[in-house]
Amino acid sequence: MGGRNYDIGEGTFNMVATAAIIDPKTGAPSAQEMIDALEGLGDGIAVRQVAQLGEALIDSFSSLPFEQRNKYKISALGDKQALGGDGPGWKPTYRELNDMPTDMMAIEDSSLFMRCLMNCCGFGNMRPLKIRFMTNNGSPGLMINRPFNLGGSVLCPHQMHTALGDVYVGKVEEDFHCCDNYFKRCAQQACCCTSYHDIKVPVNAQGDMQTKFKLEVDLCCCISGRCNVCGGTPCNNDAIFDIYEYGQGGELLGKSGRIQKTYAGYSCFALGRCCYQYDNYLLQFPQGATPEEKSLLMTAYEYGQGGELLGKSGRIQKPMLVI
């Protein structure tokens, strides 16, 4: 079968269409159950990082560089939508988020030694890792790989690669280019607390990549016009980050989705989660997004976390001011 192969850290993944990949054991399309689950998520998802008592206790009473593998619960938003759109957005409470049924799980795959070592060196939020997604009945099919990169400001942009079954569907990459926008992006990060991240898809069998979406992470109020300062905390309940869509010719089509970091109400539970950076996010998909596009946008969410976009090593973090 033709098409360029990509090695993203665990086997080789082909670029051809998802439906053309056949599981030799079952004769069914590879990762079909995951594809069906992605379609079933509808127009948006809520993502909650699972609070881990052991990690919280060690953080509270010692300075050990210990961190457990991050875990996430993913639920379909149903008829609700994130803030920042045309209609009324949702400001969920802690209880409302906690009571949502789990449609998918995501679990970090990394070694304890690597997590402790990278935390000791101050690079915990940039550590190499994989994120494996599973459907409600435990079926895998979606995998994200993040290599260790120092960041675009040192010309080593953060990246995350996505494979759906045996198919490489694209990557999320920090928007830093040496001969194009380097000084502009440095100034935007330093002066405006704003970073940009390209969501790229393969466009041909030769492996050429094209930007399909761009994520704008504005942690201030300089560019987006919204006040995202201290967003997702008791000081500011919500922070909203826009997703822009591009056409096949590279033209900007406009805003098509968004990510909302939410504090989820004022309670002891919400405050505890905030203090230990167990964050809550709503991701609004672009209208008509395919399973492949949804998987890439979910990568952008994880990327934000892991690349210091929007929390701590596995969560969306404060944007890539980490360099």
Side-chain angles (χ1 to χ4, degrees), residues 1 89 132 156 233 247 262:
M1 190 172 298
R132 302 182 187 277
C156 185
T233 71
T262 183

Side-chain angles (χ1 to χ4, degrees), residues 91-246:
K91 285 192 173 184
T93 64
Y94 166 81
R95 182 57 58 191
E96 287 174 326
L97 280 179
N98 199 50
D99 290 344
M100 295 182 76
T102 301
D103 296 304
M104 199 177 290
M105 287 288 298
I107 302 175
E108 176 186 345
D109 184 0
S110 63
S111 70
L112 175 61
F113 172 78
M114 182 59 69
R115 293 195 299 274
C116 292
L117 175 64
M118 297 299 280
N119 281 336
C120 279
C121 296
F123 297 127
N125 62 310
M126 292 184 278
R127 66 177 182 260
L129 55 76
K130 296 180 179 68
I131 302 287
R132 302 182 187 277
F133 291 78
M134 294 178 292
T135 62
N136 222 6
N137 62 5
S139 297
L142 175 60
M143 195 265 286
I144 297 170
N145 182 67
R146 183 183 73 188
F148 171 58
N149 289 337
L150 287 173
S153 59
V154 291
L155 301 180
C156 185
H158 297 295
Q159 295 181 346
M160 291 190 84
H161 300 266
T162 306
L164 185 55
D166 295 329
V167 178
Y168 179 80
V169 295
K171 67 178 179 179
V172 181
E173 183 176 49
E174 193 178 12
D175 183 13
F176 257 97
H177 304 285
C178 177
C179 300
D180 183 12
N181 61 5
Y182 177 80
F183 294 105
K184 177 182 177 180
R185 291 293 187 241
C186 285
Q188 288 172 328
Q189 285 196 359
C191 302
C192 303
C193 300
T194 301
S195 57
Y196 294 88
H197 313 276
D198 290 332
I199 302 168
K200 297 183 175 183
V201 298
V203 293
N204 55 40
Q206 286 69 47
D208 296 326
M209 307 288 287
Q210 177 176 302
T211 298
K212 176 64 178 176
F213 302 102
K214 188 184 292 287
L215 173 62
E216 177 187 81
V217 181
D218 179 5
L219 293 183
C220 194
C221 52
C222 301
I223 294 181
S224 68
R226 304 187 185 97
C227 182
N228 286 334
V229 178
C230 298
T233 71
C235 301
N236 183 3
N237 192 79
D238 299 282
I240 302 170
F241 310 101
D242 290 318
I243 298 170
Y244 294 85
E245 185 170 359
Y246 288 79

Side-chain angles (χ1 to χ4, degrees), residues 234-302:
C235 301
N236 183 3
N237 192 79
D238 299 282
I240 302 170
F241 310 101
D242 290 318
I243 298 170
Y244 294 85
E245 185 170 359
Y246 288 79
Q248 293 185 351
E251 70 280 8
L252 176 63
L253 301 180
K255 296 179 183 179
S256 63
R258 55 204 175 276
I259 294 174
Q260 172 187 344
K261 180 181 179 180
T262 183
Y263 177 60
Y266 296 88
S267 69
C268 293
F269 294 108
L271 179 61
R273 286 180 58 85
C274 175
C275 290
Y276 290 102
Q277 294 184 318
Y278 296 120
D279 298 323
N280 312 297
Y281 291 91
L282 308 182
L283 169 56
Q284 193 73 46
F285 296 124
Q287 189 172 14
T290 66
E292 291 80 6
E293 290 171 346
K294 290 180 180 180
S295 68
L296 279 171
L297 291 164
M298 290 165 67
T299 302
Y301 158 77
E302 294 292 345

Side-chain angles (χ1 to χ4, degrees), residues 18-23 26-33 35:
T18 302
I21 301 296
I22 302 298
D23 187 331
T26 64
S30 176
Q32 186 59 52
E33 192 163 344
I35 294 170

